Structure formats: structure tokens, C-alpha cells
Amino acid sequence: MSSCLGPPVASPAAVRPREDPGLADRIAASAAAHHGAQLRTDEVHAWLAERRTAGEFRVERIPFGELGEWRFEPGTGNLVHRSGRFFTVEGLHVVEHDGPYGDGPRREWQQPVIRQPEVGILGILAKEFDGVLHFLMQAKMEPGNRNLLQLSPTVQATRSNYTRAHRGTDVRLLDHFVRPDPDRVIVDVLQSEQGSWFFHKCNRNMVVETTGEVAESADFRWLTLGQIAALLHEDDLINMNARSVLSCVPYPDTAPGALHSDGQLLSWFTGERSRHDVHAQRIPLAAVRGWKHGVEAIEHEHGRHFRVVAVSVRGSNRENVSWTQPLLEPVGLGIAAFLVREFGGVPHVLVNARAEGGFLDTVELAPTVQCTPGNYAHLPVADRPPFLDAVLGANPSRIRYQAIQSEEGGRFLCARSRYLAVDAGSAEAPLVPPPGFVWATPAQLRALTRHGHYLNVQARTLLACLNAVAARPREGM
């Protein structure tokens, strides 16, 4: 006899909290821990110095003709690897209109650009020691770093690296990030890289916790967020990839409230994306106007912006110990700065909706000021970036944070920027800023880092540095 009750009903699926209720407290405890279980903060420099002397590190400029596995492609002139992997240096033609109907001011330019379509992994492994979260940092050599060796994520690898296109050794600890345990993931988000130098480049930024044993290695050390915060105040020590991942760590919001609600901020940002009309088209490197091709460099006809050069590298702690490659070398020291004001007792930073030719989606949130001042020295004051003079002329007593940080050392040669957070008054930074700018709290920006392509890499570095300012112990503590 058939049943009139219908098919059996499966047991309801178990539900869980949408957020780990204890994670914010664990992050805060790690940020407050200024002494690690494995290494004191004041011992980090000695460890890095020991790792420099333990290995063989050498970077030498060479002519393009000595690039070995690299060549200028016939016809296009693009600089490519013979395997077809890694990256290429191509040309880019950008036309930008500022206006919802393409009716605003027009900018147009051409330039070389790095195209690296594969998504890399930037992963930091986390583990509790004595009840406090520590993060596994690597002393990693990158050919473009000014001091060669800097603190990097546990894993920092392109797909070409970890699939061994270079025929080198395996990437250590990669398995924690390729197929992570969902219950152990703290951060996992695709983030962009420099849109002025890369075309549609992004990496998977990850923090994954482990409870298992991790084999010790001379090139790796466990540090708390408090220790990392102290090191972020030093020049050229924490590399760009580590800063990007650290900016995504879910610090607790200690100052609820903001000048604009989250909904208002997102609406403003959506409006800015809609307002900008950016057309970026890849073109042959040989066809790029305004750039000179030489034996050892491709450079701008007026000596500005950057140049493309070639290097020979030896790094004994790398998966591949010896290779040649092209690098992009900026001309001059960059500057990236947030102007800071308090509204209702809550600190806010002034962010800029910035269009760059290499972005996936027209604009991302950038620092108040992001430029290389030397590129604008020939222009009248009215044509210089907004707020640049307020940053350059800031009284030292108003500077909350200041350090020179290296940009990505795997693709850029000695690319460095001066990062600042500067207290401003109403005269320098009005409550109602010019078009393209908005006030946001650091907590609002941290929330946006949970999603890709909202904050550019310079803004993420400054956010990591502001986290470091908040975590730094007061004098006498």
C-alpha cells in the first residue's frame, strides 16, 4: 500500500555561525603580543643577517642579448620566456574619460606593461603557541629588493613556480594553501597588484591556520602580529606580498561608527566606477610610442616613469638558484600617503578612487596621494596630484607613520615608496573633499579587503601600517 506521507525527509543540515566568534579576540591577542614564542623582535635583524651570509645572493645587470631563456618575439617585439610561462612584457594603450558618458576630460598614453595572467599564491601559515597566534614568515630573496632579503609570506609563488616550470625544487609548505581545510582558513581573497605596471594581475592572498607539526627550517620563523607590527615601522623589511596579506587579517573594530555608513561608502564607490570610462588595449611592445629601445633598457623618451631592464640572478635559497629575467625599474622614489582626520573621535583616512590602466575594473581605492613626485616636477602646481604639497610639507609632529617600503621584488628593481599617514586639519583636507575622494575609517577599509579589487596594493600596504600603529605599545609599556 502506498504511503500518503511522501518521501522521507532528510535530517536538516547543521548550521554554524557565519563568523568565528573567537577569531577577533585571538587576532587582538596576537597584535598585543610583542614577544614571540620562538624569536624576540630584537633578534630578527640578526637572524636575517645570518641568512644573508648563509646563502649566495647576487644580482647583476646584463644586456637584453644575454637573457638566455628570454627573447624579443618576432613581429610584436614582446619580451617573452621561451617556455611561454611566467610573464611577458608587452605594450599597453590606455584611453581614460572622466565622466559617465565619456564626456569628461580625456587622458591617453602608451607604455610597456607586465602581463602575467596566472594567479599566484601568497599564503601565511598561522599556528598557536602558548595560546597566542603566530605567523610563519620567510626570509626570502627577491632580485629586485634593495637589500635582497626581506620577510615574505610562508608561500609566495606563481603557478609557473609551483608547477616547476623553472625545473627547480618544490615550494615548501604549499599543500597548506592549494587545498586548505575550510575550517582553518582565516583569509582567502584575490587581490590586485600595481595597475600602473601590471595588466590584470592578481594573487590569492591567504592566511591558513594549522594545528599540526611544521618542520623547522632556517629560512622560516614564527612571529606574532605585535612583532610584525614593530617591524613594519622599519624600512625595507616586510615585503609587499606580506603586507598585502596582512592587510586582510580581520582585526577587531575598536572604534565603531563612521562619517559615512558602509552602504553610503559602497554606493559612492560604485558611482566612481561607473563615472570612469577606461579603455586599455594590449599592443605590441615594438609599437609603443614615446619609449626608446636600447641594448640594456627600454625607457621613456623624457627619462620619467620607469624603464625595462635585464638582470642575471643567483639566489641559493630559491627553488631555482640561478636564472636571468627582465625587471621593471621605476625612476625615483614613490610616495603613498593617507591624510588622517578624526570625526566624532573616530580616525578617518582620505581615500581616492584611482583609475589605472591595468586594473580589472576601472578604479580601486587608493591612498590620498600616490605618485612619484619627480614625474610632476616639470608641471605647474595646478597640474600636480591633489594634496601632494600637503603631504610633502607636513610638519614631522603630524606624521603618525612613516617608512620606506619596497614594492614587489620579483618583477621590479629597487622599486621603493615612502609610506606615510599624516594628521591633517580642515585647511589641508576639508570635510567635503573634491570629487574622487571620500573619508573612510580603517575598519571600513579592513572590511573591504575581504573582497577583491576594492583596495589597491598601495592602500593595502598603508592599511597594514595603520594596523601596526594601532598595535604598537605606548611609551613606557
Side-chain angles (χ1 to χ4, degrees), residues 303-330:
R304 302 188 190 109
H305 307 301
F306 61 87
R307 59 180 72 94
V308 180
V309 299
V311 295
S312 173
V313 185
R314 183 165 182 83
S316 60
N317 73 341
R318 293 294 298 256
E319 294 84 15
N320 192 24
V321 298
S322 182
W323 71 96
T324 61
Q325 70 170 90
L327 288 172
L328 188 153
E329 182 184 30

Side-chain angles (χ1 to χ4, degrees), residues 90-114:
E90 306 178 5
L92 190 68
H93 183 184
V94 184
V95 179
E96 177 192 350
H97 291 280
D98 185 7
Y101 307 107
D103 54 356
R106 171 189 169 103
R107 292 197 309 142
E108 182 176 4
W109 71 94
Q110 294 184 355
Q111 64 170 89
V113 72
I114 296 174

Side-chain angles (χ1 to χ4, degrees), residues 12 22 37 66 112 167 178 180 241 264 301 331 338 348 350-352 384 393 395 399 403 407 427 435 438 471:
E66 296 180 14
R167 300 182 295 277
V178 174
N241 294 317
Q264 290 172 327
E301 60 186 358
V331 176
F338 274 145
H348 288 64
L350 189 60
V351 293
N352 174 218
R384 288 155 62 91
N395 188 303
I399 297 176
E407 305 302 340
V438 72

